[in-house]
Amino acid sequence: MPCQDAAGGVTTPRPALVLTDGAGSSPASDLGARTLVSGMLRLADTLETQLAWLLDGREAPTTDAVAQLAGLLVRHAKGSLHDRAAEQCRPVRDLRCTLLLALVGRERVLWLKVGDGELVLERAVPVNAAQETQEVSEAQDEEVPELMPSLCTLGERGKGEFANQTLFVDERLAFEQVQYGIETTTALTGIALMSDGAAEKLVAFDGGQVSGQLSHWFDDLRRGKLRQRDLIRRFYSESFCRGTSGDDRSVALAARDLP
């Protein structure tokens, strides 16, 4: 079978990441996944004026404004699959897939989640070192405090595909089933979107813990040293595959310099 995951990202006019995972029971979900990635990135470019107002300004947007934009994104996702299904003379169900999305501004990040998979943020937080009595020069007092990465997930854990419990972008998706929100970019140093196949080994089942491997990838990415082959080698190593479902594994990463 073809890989049913798809992922993409851009840096201009603003950083944007999209990751989709096709339903295993849908015969053309790989096509649906690729359609959503390209369609959502194109929409983000088209909506740049609205996104600049929502994500770049110092004044926080209202709850209604965020909900309206999230609703527009979901309608576009559903419409994109509907149009592609019509071109293929297929029902939309044949193309259904999950959707993870992150749009980054100067002040805020808009995230959206349909179905399983994981969205992870990395922030740089001060190290809580023990205070020691010592003479400190005035110059040392002005030094930047040591920072360490802190990883957290966004949204509720997605359920498995068994018994049709996982949500997908299709004609039956209701907006009330979509998870979305706004996060500040303060101290934000990395964003990761993962399909459930990748998240199996990188995020605890309850979402409470995230593997430090992500921080190593973020660090390599911001230094220009991360290569696709490094990810492939890691995803399909014996230790990573042991005890997993064998599902497709995809990740989309964005990183910026530490504060």
Side-chain angles (χ1 to χ4, degrees), residues 20-176:
T20 59
D21 182 359
S25 58
S26 298
S29 64
D30 58 310
L31 175 60
R34 295 194 301 272
T35 296
L36 274 196
V37 168
S38 60
M40 300 309 289
L41 290 176
R42 174 59 63 188
L43 179 63
D45 183 70
T46 302
L47 296 178
E48 173 54 25
T49 301
Q50 294 93 317
L51 292 176
W53 171 79
L54 189 79
L55 303 178
D56 295 342
R58 292 192 177 277
E59 184 176 349
T62 64
T63 302
D64 287 344
V66 176
Q68 288 174 6
L69 181 57
L72 189 155
L73 294 170
V74 172
R75 290 195 300 275
H76 183 80
K78 294 175 66 174
S80 296
L81 286 193
H82 180 275
D83 292 347
R84 183 53 59 92
E87 292 175 1
Q88 300 290 316
C89 298
R90 289 178 174 272
V92 176
R93 183 179 178 83
D94 283 0
L95 279 70
R96 62 184 184 149
C97 51
T98 65
L99 172 63
L100 301 176
L101 171 73
L103 304 174
V104 186
R106 288 197 297 268
E107 299 290 334
R108 287 168 288 279
V109 176
L110 172 68
W111 62 272
L112 186 143
K113 180 177 182 180
V114 177
D116 53 23
E118 294 291 349
L119 294 99
V120 176
L121 297 186
E122 180 194 63
R123 298 187 188 276
V125 299
V127 175
N128 294 322
Q131 299 296 321
E132 298 181 357
T133 303
Q134 59 181 349
E135 291 186 6
V136 181
S137 69
E138 183 178 345
Q140 287 175 321
D141 281 339
E142 296 176 355
E143 288 182 356
V144 176
E146 185 181 356
L147 301 174
M148 65 178 295
S150 175
L151 299 165
C152 68
T153 59
L154 297 176
E156 298 179 2
R157 293 284 294 172
K159 299 178 181 179
E161 187 177 353
F162 301 103
N164 295 319
Q165 291 179 326
T166 297
L167 292 172
F168 297 103
V169 178
D170 59 17
E171 71 279 5
R172 298 180 299 174
L173 178 67
F175 182 63
E176 293 73 20

